[in-house]
């Protein structure tokens, strides 16, 4: 396991009390390490390719007419708005769900109907995007009953498999989504780990929504994530010491094999969600937490839907973000120029790899056993 985690933790550094940070160790050597400076991170550019927006002259003229009608309250009809989106795969083999986990969004889109009202859309996929579904709705059909009917129709297809859970990231829609899912025996999971769905939404903004005749850049959604002040961490989730660390991606993936095999608590993710070029040698920043009760600590931590670890230099502590908007005071340090610079360097290293980072729970800094390992991605949902 993480035998290289021998990097020394800060003496006396507690998750409950502020203590100084003296070095920025790696998981490979007990020495202060140098993160890739932000100014040198030119290789970490978005790997997503722009979608062509070319269209025929007639199509452009039609869109202009529909936009004028929308601005005057006579845009595309609700029936037209209800048609499945152009990139939807409802008629292909991807229309039949087989995965045990769904990612779901039910929200308004930057499209206006004939009344000048926002068009809503239900989109569903699985983490591998082997299943995709998209359907528009007028704004007078936004309730749990309509959502339940749509989900029932999806599950009524021959060969369809009902998932055990469905993730969603819009807290404002929790009541409607949770009620519809629960009525069908599907566990609703508020979560920011909807990475496949988020990427799909970003793609659809260019390839679908902006190509729609009723598109309006003034109609963007107001349903954004609202992060509150961090709360005190429950005692069961407290460790004894912690360190900023980093590990080559190739080695990190090998360690995550223990998680995949069920020999350690934790979670992994599809690296395609990062949308940044990565190699096995890419250094991934992380936080290592040490505790004599590492196994129960990892078990309790695994009961949370981990989203990200954030170094808050204004408050001089780490924040553990879970679910879609829960935040916890995770670890503190004594503020100084040195500790602030170190925390900033860690955050810069995280952003240099597209928000990718990890959390490790271990008995101590000399241990060759890792009780828990979570691969995390710090990203905000798209404003779509």
């Amino acid at each position: 396991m993480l035998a290289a985690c021998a990097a020394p933790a800060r003496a006396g550094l507690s998750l409950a009390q502020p203590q100084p940070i003296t070095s920025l160790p790696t998981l490979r050597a007990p020495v202060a390490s140098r993160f890739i400076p932000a100014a040198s991170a030119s290789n970490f550019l978005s790997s997503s390719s722009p979608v062509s927006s070319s269209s025929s002259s007639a199509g452009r003229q039609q869109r202009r007419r529909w936009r004028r009608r929308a601005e005057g309250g006579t845009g595309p009809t609700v029936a037209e708005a209800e048609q499945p989106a152009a990139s939807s795969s409802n008629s292909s083999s991807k229309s039949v769900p087989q995965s045990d986990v769904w990612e779901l969004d039910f929200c308004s889109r930057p499209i206006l109907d004939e009344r000048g009202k926002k068009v809503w859309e239900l989109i569903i996929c699985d983490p591998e995007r082997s299943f995709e579904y998209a359907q528009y709705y007028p704004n007078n059909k936004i309730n749990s009953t309509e959502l339940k009917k749509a989900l029932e129709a999806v599950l009524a297809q021959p060969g369809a498999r009902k998932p055990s859970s469905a993730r969603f990231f819009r807290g404002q829609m929790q009541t409607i989504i949770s009620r519809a899912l629960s009525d069908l025996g599907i566990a609703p999971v508020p979560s920011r780990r909807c990475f496949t769905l988020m990427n799909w939404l970003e793609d659809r903004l260019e390839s679908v929504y902006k190509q729609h005749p009723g598109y309006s850049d003034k109609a963007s959604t107001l349903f954004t994530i609202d992060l509150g002040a961090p709360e005190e961490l429950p005692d069961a989730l407290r460790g004894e010491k912690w360190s900023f660390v980093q590990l080559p991606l190739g080695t990190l993936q090998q360690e995550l094999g223990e998680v995949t095999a069920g020999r350690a608590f934790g979670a992994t993710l599809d690296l395609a969600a990062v949308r940044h070029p990565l190699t096995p040698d890419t250094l991934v920043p992380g936080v290592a937490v040490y505790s004599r009760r590492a196994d129960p600590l990892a078990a309790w931590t695994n009961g949370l839907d981990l989203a990200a670890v954030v170094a808050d230099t204004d408050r001089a502590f780490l924040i553990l973000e879970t679910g879609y908007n829960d935040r916890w005071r995770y670890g503190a340090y004594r503020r100084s120029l040195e500790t602030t610079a170190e925390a900033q360097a860690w955050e810069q290293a995280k952003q240099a790899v597209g928000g990718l980072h990890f959390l490790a729970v271990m008995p101590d800094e000399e241990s060759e056993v890792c009780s828990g390992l979570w691969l995390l991605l710090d990203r905000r949902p798209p404003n779509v």
Side-chain angles (χ1 to χ4, degrees):
M1 291 298 295
L2 291 176
C5 271
R10 288 77 174 174
L13 184 61
S14 168
L15 290 176
Q17 300 295 329
Q19 295 294 336
I21 297 175
T22 58
S23 64
L24 192 59
T26 71
L27 289 177
R28 303 193 93 181
V31 295
S33 64
R34 295 181 182 273
F35 279 116
I36 301 172
S40 302
S42 57
N43 290 332
F44 296 99
L45 301 177
S46 174
S47 60
S48 59
S49 300
V51 180
S52 173
S53 61
S54 62
S55 60
S56 67
S57 175
R60 288 194 296 269
Q61 291 175 1
Q62 182 189 51
R63 281 194 292 275
R64 284 196 293 267
R65 287 197 299 270
W66 281 25
R67 287 194 183 101
R68 286 196 295 269
R69 287 165 57 191
E71 291 170 357
T74 58
T77 65
V78 171
E80 290 167 328
E82 287 178 342
Q83 294 302 310
S87 66
S88 173
S89 302
N90 297 347
S91 61
S92 71
S93 60
K94 288 189 175 185
S95 65
V96 181
Q98 296 292 326
S99 176
D100 190 53
V101 177
W102 283 0
E103 297 179 7
L104 180 152
D105 188 42
F106 193 33
C107 191
S108 62
R109 301 294 181 232
I111 299 172
L112 300 177
D113 63 17
E114 80 281 3
R115 304 164 298 162
K117 303 296 184 181
K118 289 183 182 179
V119 171
W120 285 58
E121 182 185 44
L122 167 64
I123 69 170
I124 315 170
C125 65
D126 58 22
E128 295 77 30
R129 273 188 73 175
S130 59
F131 162 61
E132 298 176 354
Y133 177 87
Q135 179 68 52
Y136 289 137
Y137 286 84
N139 71 340
N140 59 357
K141 290 188 178 181
I142 309 307
N143 54 65
S144 61
T145 300
E146 291 292 334
L147 178 56
K148 180 182 176 181
K149 288 179 181 178
L151 300 180
E152 287 176 330
V154 171
L155 295 173
Q157 300 177 92
R161 174 188 175 189
K162 185 173 74 173
S164 62
S165 63
R167 302 186 189 121
F168 61 95
F169 62 83
R170 296 194 199 271
Q172 297 92 335
M173 297 300 296
Q174 181 172 6
T175 299
I176 290 177
I177 294 176
S178 295
R179 183 174 298 167
L181 291 171
S182 298
D183 286 349
L184 295 174
I186 303 172
V189 181
S191 174
R192 278 165 46 199
R193 294 182 70 88
C194 302
F195 304 125
T196 301
L197 179 67
M198 293 179 187
N199 286 344
W200 192 20
L201 279 169
E202 289 179 344
D203 292 342
R204 288 177 68 79
L205 176 61
E206 299 297 329
S207 64
V208 178
Y209 308 141
K210 288 187 177 181
Q211 309 308 313
H212 195 286
Y215 173 76
S216 171
D217 56 6
K218 298 179 181 179
S220 59
T221 181
L222 298 178
F223 293 110
T224 57
I225 190 167
D226 181 20
L227 297 176
E231 301 179 18
E232 289 299 322
L233 190 72
D235 290 340
L237 298 172
R238 291 186 183 278
E240 297 161 11
K241 299 178 182 180
W242 63 273
S243 295
F244 283 131
V245 293
Q246 60 182 354
L247 193 65
L249 178 59
T251 305
L252 181 58
Q253 288 179 299
Q254 292 177 7
E255 303 299 344
L256 285 166
E258 297 294 300
V259 175
T260 304
R263 292 188 290 267
F265 294 106
T268 185
L269 57 86
D270 185 354
L271 292 177
V274 182
R275 294 198 162 183
H276 270 65
L278 301 169
T279 71
D281 295 328
T282 298
L283 288 176
V284 180
V287 170
V289 175
Y290 311 109
S291 173
R292 288 167 291 183
R293 43 181 290 278
D295 286 345
L297 174 58
W300 278 102
T301 303
N302 205 52
L304 300 174
D305 186 80
L306 301 189
V309 178
V310 177
D312 189 327
T313 55
D314 292 333
R315 297 183 176 98
F317 57 67
L318 300 182
I319 297 175
L320 180 66
E321 298 184 344
T322 65
Y324 65 88
N325 68 349
D326 293 325
R327 308 175 83 212
W328 311 92
R329 292 172 56 104
Y330 198 53
Y333 56 88
R334 189 168 297 146
R335 190 195 306 274
S336 70
L337 292 177
E338 180 183 3
T339 59
T340 298
E342 183 177 352
Q344 290 173 339
W346 187 84
E347 276 292 330
Q348 289 169 359
K350 185 174 66 174
Q351 296 307 315
V353 289
L356 189 67
H357 61 297
F358 66 91
L359 174 66
V361 173
M362 307 178 65
D364 56 62
E365 56 268 31
E366 302 293 337
S367 176
E368 296 186 1
V369 177
C370 187
S371 299
L373 182 62
W374 292 263
L375 188 60
L376 307 174
L377 184 60
D378 187 1
R379 65 168 295 179
R380 295 295 183 261
N383 188 27
V384 178

